């Protein structure tokens, strides 16, 4: 199967706990096909539901994560044993031939020789079938043993902190697909000293709605421009929710106890006066602290206070550029 194939097999077994926002999104997508048949008030209610669900999706990114890969358990998996060539069918055929005793009718109609010859012929046929069954078992064992050896090798390399093994596992698991679907991209780096950093390109202005949709008392749709303060607050919560999600996914894939996530977006460079892609959040997530959080109840922005981080934000002006955390600050010296 090979390295990446084995990781994909592990990925397939990593169940995901789907959050309510996603289930609601699927329900709304089913109803979208019926949109044209809806009355005007139904269409208005549907549009508001879709809008509110989109906001919910953006602010709950951190609530969903893959099941952790248990690398240490993989190390303890028992080696598949090579099948033995027993020849049970042939042995049974030999026994049947050796213990053959002609009955009354066989003697009467002189069938003994014919029956003995048939039993002897069955021995060869049984041996052929035994060989076919053994070969099938052996071929299956070879695949199973190869997969076991690959998994063992992967687990050892991951637990030994192999840089390339980490990067390959992150790439193949495709844990950041949902975030990328929202317009964000991720680059993962293993720095000197083994510190893992994920650089997250947010593109928040393309994701956060610029309008607010609501229902009037009459049931009609109301659409108005979103106040800049509300837009900036949503942007902040989305960025922090994505960062926390990335940290959780990395902890699920790898045994590391600390990862850095640096979010990058297009903000004003005060020294040049131009809009440029710059870090707006850099946070060092510790596994123990992340696992202690009540993820269903936290405010993503407030949750950053639990970690060493760099972020400058004002409700009126939004994010300002910051310096990314120095990975060497967190490197473990031996």
């Amino acid at each position: 199967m090979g390295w990446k194939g084995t990781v994909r097999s592990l990925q397939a077994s990593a169940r995901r706990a789907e959050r309510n926002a996603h289930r609601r999104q699927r329900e709304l997508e089913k109803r979208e096909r019926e949109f044209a048949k809806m009355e005007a008030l139904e269409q208005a209610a549907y549009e508001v539901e879709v809008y509110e669900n989109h906001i919910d999706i953006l602010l709950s990114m951190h609530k969903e994560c893959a099941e952790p890969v248990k690398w240490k358990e993989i190390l303890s998996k028992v080696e598949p044993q090579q099948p033995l060539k027993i020849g049970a069918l042939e042995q049974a055929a030999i026994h049947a031939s050796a213990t053959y005793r002609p009955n009354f009718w066989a003697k009467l109609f002189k069938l003994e020789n014919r029956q003995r010859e048939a039993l002897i012929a069955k021995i060869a046929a049984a041996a052929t079938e035994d060989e076919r069954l053994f070969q099938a078992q052996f071929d299956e064992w070879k695949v199973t043993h190869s997969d076991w050896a690959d998994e063992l090798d992967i687990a050892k390399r991951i637990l030994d902190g192999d840089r390339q093994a980490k990067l390959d596992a992150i790439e193949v698991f495709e844990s950041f697909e949902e975030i990328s679907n929202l317009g964000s991209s991720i680059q993962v780096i293993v720095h000197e000293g083994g510190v893992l950093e994920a650089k997250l390109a947010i593109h928040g202005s393309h994701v956060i709605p610029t309008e607010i949709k609501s229902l009037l008392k009459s049931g009609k749709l109301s659409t108005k421009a979103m106040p800049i303060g509300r837009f900036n607050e949503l942007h902040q919560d989305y960025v922090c929710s994505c960062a926390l999600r990335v940290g959780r996914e990395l902890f699920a894939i790898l045994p590391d106890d600390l990862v850095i996530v640096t979010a990058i977006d297009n903000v004003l460079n005060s020294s040049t006066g131009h809009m440029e892609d710059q870090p707006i959040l850099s946070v060092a997530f510790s596994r123990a602290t992340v696992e202690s959080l009540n993820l269903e109840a936290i405010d993503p922005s407030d949750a950053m206070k639990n970690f060493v981080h760099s972020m400058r934000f004002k409700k009126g002006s939004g994010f300002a550029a910051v310096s990314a955390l120095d990975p060497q600050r967190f490197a473990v010296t031996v």
Side-chain angles (χ1 to χ4, degrees), residues 43-83:
Q43 290 182 346
Y46 173 77
E47 284 196 47
V48 171
E49 284 188 73
V50 171
Y51 167 81
E52 292 176 344
N53 177 252
H54 180 62
I55 297 294
D56 195 11
I57 290 285
L58 296 179
L59 305 188
S60 62
M61 299 292 296
H62 61 283
K63 294 182 180 180
E64 191 171 303
C65 182
E67 290 289 316
V69 181
K70 299 177 181 178
W71 296 108
K72 290 183 179 179
E73 289 187 11
I74 293 173
L75 282 182
S76 63
K77 283 188 176 181
V78 178
E79 180 178 3
Q81 294 301 304
Q82 183 173 341

Side-chain angles (χ1 to χ4, degrees), residues 164-180:
Q164 192 57 50
K166 289 182 178 182
L167 294 175
D168 286 344
I170 291 166
E171 176 187 356
V172 177
F173 264 85
E174 299 177 346
S175 297
F176 310 117
E177 182 177 353
E178 181 187 4
I179 297 174
S180 64

Side-chain angles (χ1 to χ4, degrees), residues 158 161 166 194-196 250-251 253-259 287:
I158 290 289
K166 289 182 178 182
V195 177
L196 198 70
L250 291 174
F251 285 140
I253 299 170
L254 303 173
D256 297 50
D257 291 320
L258 181 140
V259 297
R287 179 184 294 273

Side-chain angles (χ1 to χ4, degrees), residues 94-110:
I94 291 173
H95 178 75
S97 177
T99 58
Y100 168 75
R101 297 293 181 271
N103 59 23
F104 171 78
W105 299 107
K107 292 178 180 178
L108 179 63
F109 293 104
K110 299 180 180 180

Side-chain angles (χ1 to χ4, degrees), residues 60-235:
S60 62
M61 299 292 296
H62 61 283
K63 294 182 180 180
E64 191 171 303
C65 182
E67 290 289 316
V69 181
K70 299 177 181 178
W71 296 108
K72 290 183 179 179
E73 289 187 11
I74 293 173
L75 282 182
S76 63
K77 283 188 176 181
V78 178
E79 180 178 3
Q81 294 301 304
Q82 183 173 341
L84 299 176
K85 199 169 187 178
I86 298 174
L89 296 177
E90 183 182 14
Q91 290 178 19
I94 291 173
H95 178 75
S97 177
T99 58
Y100 168 75
R101 297 293 181 271
N103 59 23
F104 171 78
W105 299 107
K107 292 178 180 178
L108 179 63
F109 293 104
K110 299 180 180 180
L111 299 175
E112 180 179 350
N113 289 339
R114 188 186 306 173
Q115 290 180 344
R116 287 189 182 279
E117 290 173 359
L119 288 171
I120 292 172
K122 285 183 178 179
I123 295 174
T128 301
E129 181 62 11
D130 277 334
E131 180 62 29
R132 187 191 68 79
L133 292 173
F134 170 75
Q135 194 59 50
Q137 292 173 346
F138 184 77
D139 291 343
E140 183 180 353
W141 169 80
K142 283 198 301 183
V143 173
T144 303
H145 191 275
S146 177
D147 291 348
W148 169 83
D150 283 343
E151 287 187 15
L152 191 67
D153 177 65
I154 291 167
K156 286 179 179 178
R157 291 169 61 198
I158 290 289
L159 292 171
D160 287 343
D162 183 279
R163 177 183 180 276
Q164 192 57 50
K166 289 182 178 182
L167 294 175
D168 286 344
I170 291 166
E171 176 187 356
V172 177
F173 264 85
E174 299 177 346
S175 297
F176 310 117
E177 182 177 353
E178 181 187 4
I179 297 174
S180 64
N181 287 341
L182 291 173
S184 301
S185 59
I186 297 173
Q187 176 192 14
V188 181
I189 304 168
V190 181
H191 293 280
E192 292 294 329
V195 177
L196 198 70
E197 180 182 15
K199 294 187 176 182
L200 174 64
I202 288 292
H203 308 302
S205 60
H206 302 296
V207 177
I208 309 299
T210 57
E211 297 177 329
I212 296 177
K213 292 184 178 182
S214 60
L215 291 178
L216 301 173
K217 289 183 179 180
S218 62
K220 293 182 179 180
L221 178 66
S222 170
T223 302
K224 57 184 179 181
M226 181 179 291
I228 187 64
R230 176 57 177 157
F231 179 92
N232 289 335
E233 285 180 329
L234 288 176
H235 188 194

